[in-house]
Amino acid sequence: MMENRPAGPDFEIPFAERMSRLGTETAFVVLAKAKALEAEGRDIVHLEIGEPDFDTPKNIVEAAVDALRDGYTHYTAAAGMPDMREAVAKYAGDMRGLTFSAENVVITPGAKPVMFYAILALVNQGDEVIYPNPGFPIYESVINFIGARPVPIQLRMKNDFRMDINELLGKITERTRLIVINSPQNPTGGVLTKADLEAIAQAALEHNIMVFSDEIYSKIVYEGAHESIASIPGMAERTVILDGMSKTFAMTGWRLGYGVMPAKLADAVTKLQTNCASCTAAFTQRIIPEALFGPQDKPREMVAEFKRRREVIVNGLNEIPGVTCLRPKGAFYVFPEVKEWGLSSSVLEDRILKEAGVAILSGTSFGAFGEGFLRLSYANSVENIQTALVRIRDFAATL
Ligand code: PLP
C-alpha cells in the first residue's frame, strides 16, 4: 500500500504545460488590491470593475424567489430548460429581425462560458483567430490556451476604436478559422458601424470563416439601435452570438447568459457544458421570461443614468492636462489616452490606486495595444466619479 505522506515544503506541483498559456482578467486582481487597501482604512473609488452598480430589478428577484419556492432546485437539461431556450430564441430573434428556435440556444452560467465553449468547439491547434486588441482579455487567453494563433487587430482612437477593415482583410489567411467581434466594445466603448459589419460579413462568407459576435452590451447603446452581424443575410448560419443578463439587467452575480448559434454547433456547445457545468442553475433560468419580456423601465433608466455619467467622466477627463478621451457610443467604459504623462499604463494603474485612491485598469489589461491608455468604468455614482476626477487631476499635477 502507498503511504499517505504530507507534501514536503519543496514539493512542486507539476502543472500542465497549457497553464502557462492561460491569461486572466486583471480587473479581479485590481479589485483585490483595492479591497486590501480599504481593509487598511483607505478610501478607494472603484472604477475598475465592469458591472452596473444598480440592484437587479425587483420583479426579476421576485421571479427567482417564486421559482425557488416552486421547487426549481434541481438539475435541468444541459442546454437549459426547453421553454426558457424558446423564450431566449424569441427575444434574440425579434431584436435582430431573425427567427431562432430553442435548438439554437444554449443557456450558460454567465455569458463568459459561451466564449470558452465556442472557441473549443470551432478552433484547432495552429488555427488562426482574429480578434480586437485592446479587447476583452479572455479571447486572447483562450486562443493561446488551446494552442491556436492569436491574430490581433489594433483598435485605434483615430478610428473611434473600430476595427480597421482593411487591416482585418489583410490578416485573413487559409488558417483563419474564426473572427471575434465585440460591439459595443469593452474596454473602449467603440461601436462597429453597419458598413463595418457588412464588410466583415462579406469576408467571412467569402473565406468560409465563422464569426463570434460578443453582444453582451447590446442594450447599452447611446446613439441609434444595436446592429448585429447575424442580421446580415447568410450570417446567422455562421455566427455565434454571446449575450446575457449580466449587464442589461444588473445581474452579474446571478451568472446567467446564453449563446445563440446554428443548431449543430449548439449541440457541440451543449456537450461541452455537460462536461463542465452540467447546466445553469434552475431557478435563475426561470427568471428569463420576466427579464426579457417583463417591464423594461429599470434597464432603460439605467442606460439613461449611464449616459448622464458618460458626460461627466468624458468632460472631466478631457479637462485634465495630458488626457484625451473619446465619447463612447456604448457600454459603460471610457478608454482615455494618457501617453503625455510619460509613464507606462501598468505603473499608472498601480500609482493611481496607491497614491490617488482610485481603482482603474491599465489599457494593457486588454492587450499590448492598450499601452498608453487607461480604462475607467463609469458604473459608479456621479458623486464618486467626480471625486475620482479630482483625485486623478491632483495626481497628474504631481507628474
Ligand atoms: N463579454 C464582454 C465583452 C464582457 O465585458 C463581459 C464581462 O465583463 C463578458 C463577456 C462576460 O459576461 P458575464 O458576466 O455574463 O459572464
Side-chain angles (χ1 to χ4, degrees), residues 110-112 115 136 139 182 186 214 216-217 246-247 255:
K112 216 183 211 174
M115 229 170 260
F136 192 57
Y139 313 136
N182 173 213
N186 178 9
D214 184 337
I216 194 84
Y217 298 102
S246 296
K247 317 287 174 170
R255 311 313 297 135

Side-chain angles (χ1 to χ4, degrees), residues 4 14 53 56 116 125-126 133 141 199-200 227 237 244 266 286 289 292 297 302 305 369:
N4 208 358
D53 55 317
T56 303
F116 202 68
Q125 263 186 326
N133 184 323
S141 166
I200 297 167
E227 301 272 0
E237 293 80 1
R286 295 311 299 176
L292 300 184
D297 49 321
M302 197 168 78
E305 178 59 19
F369 292 128

Side-chain angles (χ1 to χ4, degrees), residues 131-140 152-157 160-163 180-182 185-190 335-336 362-375:
Y131 66 102
N133 184 323
F136 192 57
I138 302 304
Y139 313 136
E140 190 175 278
I153 303 291
Q154 182 171 5
L155 303 188
R156 296 181 179 85
M157 193 177 225
D160 291 336
F161 294 119
R162 290 162 32 233
M163 276 179 161
V180 176
I181 58 173
N182 173 213
Q185 211 241 0
N186 178 9
T188 66
F335 203 66
S362 161
T364 50
S365 300
F366 301 88
F369 292 128
E371 187 54 88
F373 294 84
L374 301 174
R375 192 201 75 169

